[in-house]
DNA sequence: CATGAATGAGTGTTCATTCAT
DNA sequence: CATGAATGAACACTCATTCAT
């Protein structure tokens, strides 16, 4: 079926990019991994860009579902923020190839056209909005202190997104500790201090 | 003179990378901007990598000097942390092309071989250590609370480094506000709360 | 078919090298002769070296077969030596382009790294050993006098290999006479003189 | 002085070609060895070809003088032939760089234009005529048997010229033995056998 | 659906040659 | 006499893309 081949190609592309980097993840390399020929790729995708875009969307969707489920179980915004951090770092730890590919794609996308970016450079793009939601609700419920939700959300995302590159450089990074520290840091930075 | 052309080529490379990205910043493109031929580049640099390395070193050095001067004037670690954030974001705001180039180079360096990187992916590389220094001294002097200095330093850097890509996406980002918010956020996250 | 194009490219390479020399027999020149583009060559051969190697192997194999058949028919080592000389010069006379290409390739291979050559600079490489065999058997059977088989074999090969360059300089060289004289010369130099 | 620089450049070119081969003996490399700049070479030689030609002529002249002196001392053509072989091989043994350069130049010259060669591919070019002279006088004096002097001269030269490439491949070749064997071989091949 | 073959524009790099100073 | 800087044409090689079969 068409969809199966597309999925397989997406998977092979993720692995290729994760292993050899965007530069060397040529269509020939991807085709080799999929066990088909370069030409066949064009039957399923109009061009390279479309294939890479599909990869991007797929990974973003996967990640969003992974995190969304865990966050939904929480009782209040403070717990949700903790769950957001924990589930995100957990996803990164257990999906290194996907994250590596995502980072590589985001990087090469970013510097192409410095104008309107259709895909956020952030690892989880669409997750910036839900994050702001959590922060805003926390403020409304008096759990969080006053701060600009956008800036804070961006900082949280940046702290998480920095893990990917760090993991490549320091493979045995202690992620559990990193998580604990990050949760504590943002707890101090957001919690309301009673008068 | 030799040095003048080298400097010009470095500048043209920065601009080329900032505008069209690493991928398309070919030697032909750089030469075109410099008004010379591709071949002439090889008179001044052994190969592409050496040129890019010179760009990297130049930008890193410039940035470090810019920030170092401001931080040195501060009275205590808390003020230094504020100066670090402010001067860094100020540099980013006033050197957009340089920062864009730096990010692009760091990115493409990273995804090549995920092993030991001689140049940190962080926009200011060497500035992670001085940052940790500030945090540690702040703790020693009882100004800062207990936290892992490495994780916190990485988070601060990540928050700053995230501005570069963000600027590309949202060119009219209010950096003054961003700065104020970030200073406040990390003040809350680091300051010692008296019992 | 793949093999047909490969064969055509090998033939075009032989002709190109024979006519314009190794230096100027660029992939562009070879592609032009084959009526395809440079890039297409890389579909059939990994790189220039592989193409040249295929040419080398092809020509060596052809030559060895040509000579081997004639030599095998002979009754004794003295006749074999004559057949060796005659068939080799005959091959040179009737395959001038091949020989020219072979010489050019061997030459440019030699001066690259003066170390261990996998392919002998001699036009027929592997034919030095069979030549020594003939000489040794001739000595064992009392047909040849005492001499160092290696030196003599090298001299015979040198005399034959000198014809190639000579042919380029003097296109109307009388090869029949050359052959007769060479056969006589090496007959005198090798035959046993009865006491 | 002009002539001194020319001589120095010729010398450096010989060494460069002998060490790195024709291909990599670029003008930059030669200039580096001479301690001047590429551009300066063009003050002394119109172009690369002229420089290489001067090298060729110089080496050929040097070799001819070396051999001529020894041959002139001999009493009869048979002794001259022996002296020719011995002095030539001796020259090769004691002037390896020169011979290596000569071979490399001859090789790359040969395959350039397959037409009229102004310089013989033979290592000593002009020495083919004196060799034929020796052979002819030997026949006239009844010392040598009947044979075509041209073919025999070419064979002798080929046997000697084959030493150069052989030396590169087998650096510890026993030249003394090679000489003895060659002298004996051509003695058998040329001497008159009394009825 | 897929292949095998080819294209063509592009890449970084080398080098003999030129020339103002 | 010589340099330092530059040119420009050539080189081997890569790769997304096309298309007849």
């Amino acid at each position: 079926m068409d969809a199966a081949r597309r999925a397989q190609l997406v998977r092979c592309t993720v692995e290729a990019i994760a292993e050899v980097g965007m530069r060397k993840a040529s269509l020939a390399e991807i085709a080799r991994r999929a066990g088909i020929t370069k030409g066949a790729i064009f039957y399923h995708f109009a061009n390279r860009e479309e294939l890479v875009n599909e990869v991007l969307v797929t990974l973003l969707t996967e990640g969003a579902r992974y995190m969304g489920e865990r966050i939904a179980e929480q009782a209040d915004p403070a717990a949700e923020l903790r769950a957001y951090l924990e589930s995100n770092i957990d996803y990164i730890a257990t999906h290194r190839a996907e994250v590596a590919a995502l980072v590589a794609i985001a990087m090469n996308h970013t510097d192409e056209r410095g104008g309107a970016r259709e895909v956020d450079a952030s690892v989880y793009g669409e997750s910036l909005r839900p994050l702001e939601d959590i922060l805003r609700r926390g403020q409304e419920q008096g759990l969080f202190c006053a701060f600009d939700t956008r800036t804070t959300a961006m900082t949280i995302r940046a702290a998480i997104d920095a893990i990917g590159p760090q993991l490549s450089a320091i493979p045995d990074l202690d992620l559990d500790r990193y998580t604990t520290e990050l949760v504590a840091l943002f707890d101090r930075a957001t919690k309301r201090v009673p008068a």
Side-chain angles (χ1 to χ4, degrees), chain A:
Chain A
M1 212 225 309
D2 198 38
R5 255 287 129 87
R6 279 179 74 97
Q8 184 205 9
L9 281 169
V10 165
R11 182 112 295 273
C12 290
T13 304
V14 167
E15 280 160 21
I17 294 176
E19 282 175 38
V20 302
M22 262 254 114
R23 199 96 154 196
K24 306 184 90 174
S26 64
L27 293 188
E29 172 67 21
I30 293 166
R32 196 184 56 73
R33 287 166 184 262
I36 60 172
T37 56
K38 256 194 312 182
I41 295 179
F42 288 89
Y43 181 82
H44 301 281
F45 297 93
N47 48 40
R48 184 180 210 280
E49 202 184 346
E50 209 187 69
L51 167 57
V52 172
N53 266 355
E54 179 111 341
V55 168
L56 207 48
V57 168
T58 303
L59 295 184
L60 256 25
T61 308
E62 257 182 50
R65 172 148 25 84
Y66 189 96
M67 292 172 60
E69 288 169 2
R70 284 184 177 53
I71 294 169
E73 301 165 355
Q74 308 306 316
D76 64 81
E80 285 175 33
L81 177 55
R82 192 183 322 112
Y84 183 97
L85 278 159
E86 285 171 353
S87 67
N88 205 336
I89 298 175
D90 184 39
Y91 182 83
I92 289 170
T94 54
H95 296 74
R96 302 209 175 186
E98 284 86 345
V99 171
L102 214 37
V103 169
I105 294 172
M107 281 169 167
N108 273 67
H109 264 237
T110 298
D111 64 60
E112 206 127 310
R113 287 302 319 129
R117 300 293 322 3
E118 75 271 28
V119 187
D120 197 353
S122 160
V123 175
Y124 296 111
E126 274 309 296
S127 60
L128 199 57
R129 196 163 30 235
L131 187 47
E132 274 198 77
D133 276 356
I134 295 174
L135 296 177
R136 189 166 11 81
R137 280 187 286 111
Q139 288 178 326
E140 288 165 3
Q141 297 177 24
L143 290 169
F144 293 159
C145 65
F147 51 74
D148 177 51
T149 55
R150 178 137 192 90
T151 305
T152 305
M154 274 168 58
T155 301
I156 295 170
R157 278 249 45 85
I160 297 169
D161 294 346
I163 297 175
Q166 219 72 30
L167 265 182
S168 303
I170 315 159
D172 55 344
L173 190 69
D174 184 349
L175 276 177
D176 283 342
R177 187 180 175 199
Y178 199 98
T179 307
T180 314
E181 284 286 334
L182 230 47
V183 166
L185 190 157
F186 285 112
D187 186 56
R188 292 195 300 275
T190 56
K191 76 152 174 277
R192 177 153 174 266
V193 252

